[in-house]
Amino acid sequence: MNSQTTFAPSPSGVTGHLLRQATGRFATGITVITVPKADGTHHGMTANSFISVSLEPPLVLVSVGNQSRTKLLLDDESRFGISILAQHQALAAAHYSGKTQDVEPLLSSSEGVAHVEGALARLSCTVVDRHLAGDHTLFIASVDDVSFEDGQPLIFNQGRMLPLAHYPAG
């Protein structure tokens, strides 16, 4: 099912910039979304717009910009991976956000779905629904497989990536 909702401009004057500044105060974890490409390699995108939707059945949601390469790939490919990054994986997050191309993080692949090696958690997913929401598409996916390790997550808050242990109080 595909749903489309039309949104009118905000009569209150709330701009995208103001909304980003306000919601940036909500700390999130950082994930990398990986989608198979036709040539057998994988495309990755750093994302913090990821949530667990349902436990029964197991469903998650990722929000992907409509102009992104990831969105185009997800339109054609229903399987993808989610890697929840550990505190030591800031370089992987930077790489997949396009901020650095120094060293490509290692990916491990199983049954066509890739994950960032060393991630705290790895989810293999299949798109079951999508909803157009403004300049993004919300992809709802069933979780087909999951594995995880103990450790500290990498956190994103107010435009910065920090290990949870080093996040300033107050």
Side-chain angles (χ1 to χ4, degrees), residues 2-167:
N2 289 325
S3 299
Q4 183 171 350
T5 304
T6 303
F7 295 92
S10 171
S12 65
V14 175
T15 64
H17 177 73
L18 287 173
L19 182 60
R20 181 179 290 244
Q21 286 184 320
T23 59
R25 272 111 177 112
F26 181 67
T28 66
I30 301 175
T31 68
V32 169
I33 310 301
T34 49
V35 185
K37 297 190 312 187
D39 65 4
T41 62
H42 289 82
H43 170 74
M45 175 193 92
T46 300
N48 67 335
S49 53
F50 156 77
I51 60 171
S52 171
V53 174
S54 170
L55 299 177
E56 290 298 329
L59 298 172
V60 295
L61 179 148
V62 293
S63 177
V64 178
N66 291 332
Q67 302 303 313
S68 72
R69 187 169 179 199
T70 303
K71 196 269 187 195
L72 293 174
L73 290 167
L74 281 172
D75 282 343
D76 292 334
E77 174 62 51
S78 64
R79 301 263 300 146
F80 67 97
I82 300 173
S83 301
I84 299 173
L85 299 185
Q87 67 180 356
H88 65 276
Q89 294 182 301
L91 288 177
H95 175 81
Y96 288 113
S97 67
K99 292 186 175 33
T100 180
Q101 298 300 317
D102 293 345
V103 177
E104 186 163 345
L106 293 175
L107 295 177
S108 57
S109 183
S110 175
E111 297 182 27
V113 177
H115 298 98
V116 176
E117 286 193 9
L120 282 182
R122 296 153 303 280
L123 291 77
S124 297
C125 303
T126 302
V127 175
V128 295
D129 206 354
R130 55 187 52 121
H131 301 275
L132 182 62
D135 60 0
H136 279 65
T137 296
L138 309 176
F139 289 92
I140 298 173
S142 63
V143 179
D144 306 319
D145 192 31
V146 63
S147 61
F148 54 91
E149 323 286 326
D150 288 334
Q152 292 294 316
L154 186 61
I155 299 296
F156 186 75
N157 185 256
Q158 297 185 39
R160 296 179 297 157
M161 289 184 280
L162 293 170
L164 182 61
H166 295 109
Y167 198 79

